[in-house]
Amino acid sequence: MIQHTDATARPTAPAAVFDWLDEAAELRSRAGLTRTLRSRPAQDPVLDLASNDYLGLVHHPEVTRAAAEAALRWGGGSTGSRLVTGTTALHTELEVELADFCGVEAALVFSSGYTANLAALTALTDPDTLIVSDANNHASLIDGCRLARAQVFRAPHADPVAVGAALADRAQPRAVVVTDSVFSVDGNAARLPELSAAARAHRAALLVDDAHGLGVLGPGGLGLLAAAGVAGGKSAVATATLSKSLGSQGGVVLGPSRVVRHLVETARSFIFDTGLAPAAVGAALGALRLLRAEPERAERAREVARTLADRLTAAGLLASVPDAAVVSVRAPGPQEALGWAADCRRAGLAVGCFRPPSVPDGLSRLRLTARADLTDAQIELAVATLVRTAPLLATTAR
Ligand SMILES: Cc1ncc(COP(=O)(O)O)c(C=O)c1O
């Protein structure tokens, strides 16, 4: 047994090894950055403008029935990674239908949108690639950039000219332009036609995370790529989550067949991850078929967002102009934003609260998500609650 002298003694007893976590928690608490988990009741009486269920499909009987039938037939889990035992006929069916819906050659389903983004960024780049990534991109794209063995240029937000300049100046033979389709904080859409033109002009690939566009933008919810006329392009790849409009769970990469083949054979977050659970595959298929049968749901989600924004602006609040289903409303500061969201909840309205450091521009806001199934009366109630509980200065926040 090793005897430690004073000089070699361990600095901390085993029980104290994680003391630093308490100190870090204390620092976060003092900075107002504590995050807490709150469990949601199955039948929540609160009016929900905080979830990402844009089309109101999460509880749709056809979606929940499809999930239950898939679990009964295929089991509670997928049993393994996609390349071993985790691919069922249902996974293949979903991939064929998603590719057909989005107008691309092929689709590959992942266990989440997060792993789909990691896969696309790491497998489609190498040290000879420049990644040009919008400064406001989602954390999963940022993490994909960090994992990729490529140089990354963080382009100013929504600036296709800066993207074109970075592509033109690059030393690398390859490049990928990476953008959210709809930015999750403010709900503004990427300038896809210009980005696509810049990518084409400089022989770069285009990777678009359509998490907030699929099911909402374009005719019948085909997504931003279809709306911008770049779906199905030979150098365009889209990713999406199945957890927002499609009311399920999981992610997908959509694009040319050779891209999908490359991901199957090389993407670590595909190969070393258990396949999506059958219930989630079934729910996503059920939701996709509903969307195809009822394409007006997409337009209704956009209309609800526009109405919310118009009514809040008319009441003097600083609401964003929504391109899809997300509306943000400016708050005077982080504490006011927190208090406003808490007051809304006490009044029966759930809203999101975004504040530094999780906002790219340091501005605090409430984030509202429109849902296609909201009634006009619910929209009125939400607006009245937000206006009644608004902090002083919410109309002039900077
Ligand atoms: C833009 C964007 N991309 C990717 C994701 C990750 O998707 P998932 O939750 O399926 O991992 C999200 C959020 O969930 C998102 O908002």
Side-chain angles (χ1 to χ4, degrees), residues 55 101 213-223 288 290-299 302:
L55 302 182
F101 179 72
L214 181 68
V216 176
L217 291 177
L222 293 178
L288 183 60
L290 262 171
L291 175 57
R292 296 190 105 153
E294 300 168 12
E296 64 281 0
R297 281 180 185 268
E299 171 52 28
R302 299 198 298 267

Coordinates of all heavy atoms in Angstrom, one line a residue, residues 55 101 213-223 288 290-299 302:
L55 N -47.5 22.4 -35.0 CA -48.7 22.0 -35.7 C -49.8 21.4 -34.8 O -50.9 21.0 -35.2 CB -48.4 21.0 -36.8 CG -47.4 21.5 -37.8 CD1 -47.2 20.5 -38.9 CD2 -47.8 22.9 -38.4
F101 N -41.3 13.7 -49.3 CA -42.0 14.9 -48.9 C -41.1 16.1 -49.1 O -41.6 17.2 -49.6 CB -42.4 14.8 -47.4 CG -43.1 16.0 -46.8 CD1 -44.4 16.3 -47.2 CD2 -42.4 16.9 -45.9 CE1 -45.0 17.5 -46.7 CE2 -43.0 18.0 -45.4 CZ -44.3 18.3 -45.8
G213 N -38.3 25.1 -39.7 CA -38.9 25.4 -41.0 C -39.8 24.2 -41.4 O -40.9 24.4 -42.0
L214 N -39.3 23.0 -41.2 CA -40.0 21.8 -41.7 C -41.4 21.8 -41.0 O -41.6 22.0 -39.8 CB -39.3 20.6 -41.3 CG -39.9 19.2 -41.7 CD1 -39.9 19.1 -43.2 CD2 -39.2 18.0 -41.1
G215 N -42.5 21.7 -41.8 CA -43.8 21.6 -41.3 C -44.5 23.0 -41.2 O -45.7 23.1 -40.9
V216 N -43.6 24.1 -41.3 CA -44.2 25.4 -41.1 C -44.0 26.3 -42.3 O -45.0 26.9 -42.8 CB -43.5 26.1 -39.9 CG1 -43.9 27.5 -39.7 CG2 -43.7 25.3 -38.6
L217 N -42.8 26.3 -42.9 CA -42.5 27.1 -44.1 C -42.8 26.4 -45.4 O -42.8 25.1 -45.4 CB -41.1 27.6 -44.0 CG -40.8 28.6 -42.9 CD1 -39.3 29.0 -42.9 CD2 -41.7 29.8 -43.0
G218 N -42.9 27.2 -46.5 CA -43.1 26.6 -47.8 C -44.5 26.0 -47.9 O -45.3 25.9 -47.0
P219 N -44.9 25.7 -49.2 CA -46.2 25.2 -49.4 C -46.4 23.9 -48.7 O -45.6 23.0 -48.7 CB -46.2 24.9 -51.0 CG -44.8 25.0 -51.4 CD -44.1 25.8 -50.4
G220 N -47.5 23.8 -47.9 CA -47.8 22.6 -47.1 C -46.8 22.2 -46.1 O -46.7 21.1 -45.6
G221 N -45.9 23.2 -45.7 CA -44.9 22.9 -44.7 C -43.7 22.1 -45.2 O -43.0 21.4 -44.4
L222 N -43.4 22.2 -46.5 CA -42.2 21.5 -47.1 C -40.9 22.0 -46.5 O -39.9 21.3 -46.7 CB -42.2 21.6 -48.6 CG -43.4 21.0 -49.4 CD1 -43.3 21.2 -50.8 CD2 -43.4 19.5 -49.1
G223 N -40.9 23.1 -45.9 CA -39.6 23.6 -45.3 C -39.0 24.8 -46.1 O -39.5 25.1 -47.2
L288 N -46.3 13.0 -40.2 CA -46.0 13.4 -41.6 C -47.2 13.1 -42.5 O -47.6 13.9 -43.3 CB -44.8 12.6 -42.0 CG -44.3 12.9 -43.4 CD1 -43.8 14.4 -43.5 CD2 -43.1 12.0 -43.7
L290 N -50.3 13.0 -41.6 CA -51.4 14.0 -41.3 C -51.1 15.4 -42.0 O -52.0 16.0 -42.5 CB -51.4 14.3 -39.8 CG -52.4 13.5 -39.0 CD1 -52.2 13.7 -37.5 CD2 -53.8 14.0 -39.3
L291 N -49.8 15.8 -41.9 CA -49.4 17.0 -42.5 C -49.7 17.0 -44.0 O -50.2 17.9 -44.6 CB -48.0 17.3 -42.2 CG -47.3 18.5 -42.9 CD1 -48.1 19.8 -42.6 CD2 -45.9 18.7 -42.5
R292 N -49.4 15.8 -44.7 CA -49.7 15.7 -46.1 C -51.1 15.8 -46.4 O -51.6 16.3 -47.4 CB -49.1 14.4 -46.6 CG -47.6 14.3 -46.5 CD -47.0 13.1 -47.2 NE -46.4 13.6 -48.5 CZ -45.4 12.9 -49.1 NH1 -44.9 11.8 -48.6 NH2 -44.9 13.4 -50.2
A293 N -51.9 15.2 -45.5 CA -53.4 15.2 -45.7 C -54.0 16.6 -45.4 O -55.1 16.9 -45.9 CB -54.0 14.1 -44.8
E294 N -53.4 17.3 -44.5 CA -53.9 18.6 -44.0 C -52.9 19.7 -44.1 O -52.4 20.2 -43.1 CB -54.4 18.5 -42.5 CG -55.5 17.4 -42.4 CD -55.8 17.1 -40.9 OE1 -55.3 17.8 -40.0 OE2 -56.5 16.1 -40.7
P295 N -52.4 20.0 -45.3 CA -51.3 21.0 -45.5 C -51.6 22.4 -45.0 O -50.7 23.1 -44.7 CB -51.1 21.0 -47.0 CG -52.4 20.5 -47.6 CD -53.0 19.5 -46.6
E296 N -52.9 22.7 -44.8 CA -53.3 24.0 -44.3 C -52.8 24.2 -42.8 O -52.7 25.4 -42.4 CB -54.8 24.2 -44.3 CG -55.6 23.3 -43.5 CD -55.8 21.9 -44.1 OE1 -55.3 21.6 -45.2 OE2 -56.5 21.1 -43.4
R297 N -52.4 23.2 -42.1 CA -51.8 23.4 -40.8 C -50.6 24.3 -40.8 O -50.4 25.1 -39.9 CB -51.4 22.0 -40.2 CG -52.6 21.2 -39.6 CD -52.1 19.9 -39.1 NE -53.3 19.1 -38.7 CZ -53.8 19.1 -37.5 NH1 -53.3 19.8 -36.5 NH2 -54.9 18.3 -37.2
A298 N -49.8 24.1 -41.8 CA -48.5 25.0 -41.9 C -48.9 26.4 -42.0 O -48.4 27.3 -41.2 CB -47.7 24.5 -43.1
E299 N -49.8 26.8 -42.9 CA -50.2 28.2 -43.0 C -50.9 28.7 -41.8 O -50.6 29.9 -41.4 CB -51.2 28.3 -44.2 CG -51.8 29.7 -44.4 CD -50.9 30.9 -44.4 OE1 -49.7 30.7 -44.8 OE2 -51.3 32.0 -44.0
R302 N -48.3 29.8 -39.2 CA -47.7 31.1 -39.6 C -48.7 32.2 -39.3 O -48.3 33.3 -38.8 CB -47.3 31.1 -41.0 CG -46.3 30.0 -41.4 CD -45.6 30.4 -42.7 NE -46.4 30.4 -43.9 CZ -46.7 29.4 -44.7 NH1 -46.1 28.2 -44.5 NH2 -47.5 29.5 -45.7

